[in-house]
Amino acid sequence: MTTTASTTAPVANARDLALAHYAARGVLENVLARHGATFQQQVALRAAITSDAPQTPDDLLTQVQESLKADPADIRATLDELRAKQLLVADGVHLRPTDAGRELLAAVGAETTPVSARIWGGIPAEDLAAAGRVLALVTERANAELAALTA
């Protein structure tokens, strides 16, 4: 009996997407924990750091909620935690990242960059482009479904 390798690629589904997400998030959360930070704190801090304009707490809340679909009360608590850790500070009506906040994200980035390179390395560009298109479409559709469910 002869066996041959299958040339049929597996078809992606919601479970596969979730497993990939949680595997990658697990790596990031492990690094964040070594720095005393949570995933939600990192998302909020990144939004503050990468924004083109100063952000109010409500601006940051909206950005984080759009990304994570998290409860607004939890996001407000996260912003309070970032202020308590002096990673964000009030500047009038805005919140701005501190040097410590920028240093935290830089340190996390330095640790995750080589891991990301190992995870993503060797995947053909055309596969990454196809995955990018599919993920963008899935995100768009899921956001539309969530909007309909919460309307």
Side-chain angles (χ1 to χ4, degrees), residues 117-141:
R118 289 191 297 274
I119 292 169
W120 291 91
I123 299 174
E126 60 273 8
D127 290 349
L128 292 173
R133 288 189 302 274
V134 169
L135 291 173
L137 182 58
V138 168
T139 300
E140 178 184 321
R141 289 176 177 179

Side-chain angles (χ1 to χ4, degrees), residues 64-86:
V64 174
Q65 190 172 28
E66 287 173 1
S67 295
L68 300 181
K69 314 306 185 242
D71 182 275
D74 291 342
I75 299 168
R76 286 190 197 286
T78 296
L79 295 177
D80 290 342
E81 292 164 2
L82 291 170
R83 284 192 294 253
K85 291 181 173 191
Q86 297 185 339

Side-chain angles (χ1 to χ4, degrees), residues 1-67:
M1 182 170 151
T2 308
T3 57
T4 58
S6 173
T7 57
T8 304
V11 176
N13 58 42
R15 182 176 185 274
D16 294 334
L17 176 62
L19 290 174
H21 163 78
Y22 283 113
R25 183 170 166 173
V27 170
L28 176 58
E29 285 181 338
N30 185 280
V31 172
L32 288 166
R34 289 197 299 265
H35 292 276
T38 67
F39 181 74
Q40 192 157 303
Q41 289 172 348
Q42 180 263 348
V43 170
L45 189 56
R46 180 172 303 285
I49 289 172
T50 60
S51 178
D52 292 334
Q55 301 291 293
T56 66
D58 286 342
D59 294 335
L60 286 173
L61 184 143
T62 298
Q63 285 184 50
V64 174
Q65 190 172 28
E66 287 173 1
S67 295

